[in-house]
Amino acid sequence: MRMLRRSLTVLLPILMLALGGGCHHGSNADAVGTPPSITLQPVDTPTVSGRQVSFTITANGAPVLAYQWAKDGVNIFGALGLTFTLYDPQPADSGHYSVSVTNPYGSVTSRAAVLTVVPTPEFTAAVSVVTDAAGNLFVSDRDDHVIWQVSPSKQVTLLAGSRGLAGSADGQGSNAQFRNPGCLAFDLAGNLVVADTGNHTIRRIAMDGTVTTLAGTPGIPGTANGVGALARFNAPYGIAVTATGTMYIADSQSHTIRLMAVDGTVSTYAGTPGASGQGNGSAGSAQFNQPNGLALGPDGTLYISDYGNSCIRMISPNAQVSTLAGLAGTVGYTDDTGTAALFNLPVGITLDASGNVWVADTHNHVIRSITPAGVVITVAGSGLAGNADGIVATAYFNLPCGITGLPSGNFMVADTANHILRIVTPGGTVTTL
């Protein structure tokens, strides 16, 4: 009997362990996880082609959660995070996006958020845009070496030039060639005039796409005055046409404003050929630094975005040069009056019906306006590069280069590094074409 009791004393703990009696520590056994739950659902999102868009959620649960995004119920390979981003969405990406969240204790699927991608005309590097009376837009695509036409229904067709092929050839449509074309303007006959910047020439495009060279010799820069091919330009960029058909040309690398008469005779109107500077005064003694965009007021005043000086200059009808806004040679971003305001390498420029000057302040990534008294305000943009529609500072641009007024009173902007055209209202509401 004593031997039996001793055996039971030894075996009892072993039996209890085998039966689980030795694991009765409730705080560990009851420490189970929690199934996932979604506390912030993905939201429906409209966007335009090429503009980055993201869906995101927040979720609770333990232990670690796993995520799998799906489009229209089909899993997206590699989409395994809280956020799913489409960096270059296209219309084919439109659909319903949801995410499943799982852990060992359960699974939950989010609502299906609707993505709508609206197609919009895209360009390689649109630097200038003008519009005709019928509502057609004409776009100078610097890096694609072509001129596009965009109909009121947003149909894009090639007007002239050979896509991606730089050269200099007169001809019709794709038989013609340009090299980094700059600004556009209409002549009195309704033809387009192009500052063919990389070829150092001035070209004309009829509405059937036929291109002819008006002045300058392709590939030969210079500052010489003369008629037609005897004249020389050095990277001409801006163009403004007067009521008589005479053209002002911003000859950027010559640091001058040139004048081309109706018969093709080119002369130097303002600035010192080949010498950059900041000086105001009479047109012949004044200096510029890479003048770019031009805009002509109804009273004959010529407004100039003096790119290299980061300011806006003007030439009065009696040929006196002065500074409207910005401090010559000083880069910055300040709304103020006259030389107290600061710009950062502005390019495009135009006028509204009230005589205010509108500026694509390119390297500040904003659109500014200047009253006739020189008061500068930022109409749209945040000062940071981006791509977003919105109102005033909630909108983002990326190196906007071109701007033109529309018959509606709004403005069309060539948002160059975003590869799109944007519409800006006088109140600062920005939408994508």
Side-chain angles (χ1 to χ4, degrees):
M1 181 65 74
R2 185 178 298 169
M3 292 289 293
L4 178 61
R5 288 176 181 169
R6 187 177 299 168
S7 298
L8 289 172
T9 302
V10 173
L11 290 172
L12 186 59
I14 296 173
L15 289 170
M16 290 181 68
L17 284 171
L19 294 171
C23 298
H24 188 63
H25 296 286
S27 59
N28 288 334
D30 296 338
V32 297
T34 56
S37 62
I38 296 173
T39 56
L40 179 66
Q41 297 279 352
V43 298
D44 297 344
T45 304
T47 190
V48 297
S49 56
R51 178 176 295 162
Q52 178 177 315
V53 64
S54 296
F55 293 106
T56 190
I57 66 163
T58 58
N60 294 329
V64 178
L65 302 175
Y67 305 89
Q68 176 62 67
W69 288 87
K71 176 187 181 243
D72 298 328
V74 178
N75 288 347
I76 303 169
F77 179 76
L80 305 174
L82 279 167
T83 299
F84 172 64
T85 299
L86 286 158
Y87 292 96
D88 185 26
Q90 299 300 320
D93 294 312
S94 296
H96 296 77
Y97 288 79
S98 59
V99 60
S100 296
V101 187
T102 60
N103 70 3
Y105 296 93
S107 177
V108 64
T109 299
S110 73
R111 72 178 291 270
V114 178
L115 174 64
T116 305
V117 184
V118 178
T120 188
E122 295 186 33
F123 307 92
T124 304
V127 294
S128 179
V129 56
V130 294
T131 184
D132 65 13
N136 295 293
L137 298 170
F138 298 89
V139 181
S140 176
D141 198 337
R142 179 192 62 205
D143 293 351
D144 221 2
H145 313 291
V146 294
I147 309 302
W148 299 100
Q149 180 175 340
V150 184
S151 73
S153 62
K154 297 193 292 187
Q155 296 298 309
V156 180
T157 56
L158 179 69
L159 179 65
S162 182
R163 290 197 64 184
L165 184 61
S168 182
D170 289 345
Q172 187 173 24
S174 60
N175 292 321
Q177 290 181 329
F178 299 89
R179 185 181 299 275
N180 304 122
C183 284
L184 305 173
F186 286 105
D187 66 15
L188 300 187
N191 303 304
L192 277 176
V193 182
V194 185
D196 194 2
T197 307
N199 279 323
H200 314 292
T201 56
I202 306 300
R203 318 282 291 279
R204 180 176 61 206
I205 311 176
M207 285 300 100
D208 66 354
T210 300
V211 178
T212 55
T213 300
L214 299 178
T217 298
I220 304 178
T223 62
N225 294 322
V227 179
L230 297 177
R232 296 288 181 268
F233 299 92
N234 194 350
Y237 190 82
I239 296 179
V241 181
T242 72
T244 63
T246 298
M247 299 180 194
Y248 292 105
I249 299 161
D251 198 7
S252 65
Q253 295 304 308
S254 286
H255 312 292
T256 56
I257 307 300
R258 313 289 290 279
L259 194 66
M260 186 166 76
V262 176
D263 67 358
T265 300
V266 177
S267 59
T268 299
Y269 177 64
T272 304
S276 63
Q278 306 170 356
N280 291 321
S282 65
S285 63
Q287 290 182 315
F288 300 90
N289 188 353
Q290 301 176 65
N292 272 216
L294 299 179
L296 187 62
D299 66 348
T301 300
L302 184 68
Y303 298 89
I304 304 133
S305 60
D306 196 359
Y307 177 86
N309 280 323
S310 288
C311 63
I312 306 304
R313 315 281 291 280
M314 58 185 188
I315 307 177
S316 68
N318 62 353
Q320 293 296 307
V321 178
S322 60
T323 300
L324 175 64
L327 183 61
T330 302
V331 168
Y333 178 32
T334 304
D335 286 346
D336 212 314
T337 301
T339 56
L342 296 177
F343 296 84
N344 190 353
L345 304 174
V347 176
I349 190 171
T350 193
L351 292 169
D352 66 17
S354 299
N356 300 301
V357 179
W358 287 65
V359 181
D361 192 0
T362 304
H363 288 263
N364 277 327
H365 314 288
V366 294
I367 305 302
R368 322 274 295 271
S369 74
I370 313 171
T371 69
V375 178
V376 179
I377 64 168
T378 298
V379 179
S382 68
L384 299 173
N387 184 348
D389 290 343
I391 300 174
V392 192
T394 64
Y396 288 81
F397 299 88
N398 194 351
L399 298 176
C401 283
I403 184 169
T404 191
L406 300 174
S408 63
N410 297 326
F411 297 86
M412 188 67 69
V413 175
D415 194 2
T416 306
N418 279 327
H419 316 292
I420 53 178
L421 301 179
R422 315 285 291 281
I423 300 169
V424 181
T425 69
T429 298
V430 179
T431 55
T432 299
L433 179 68

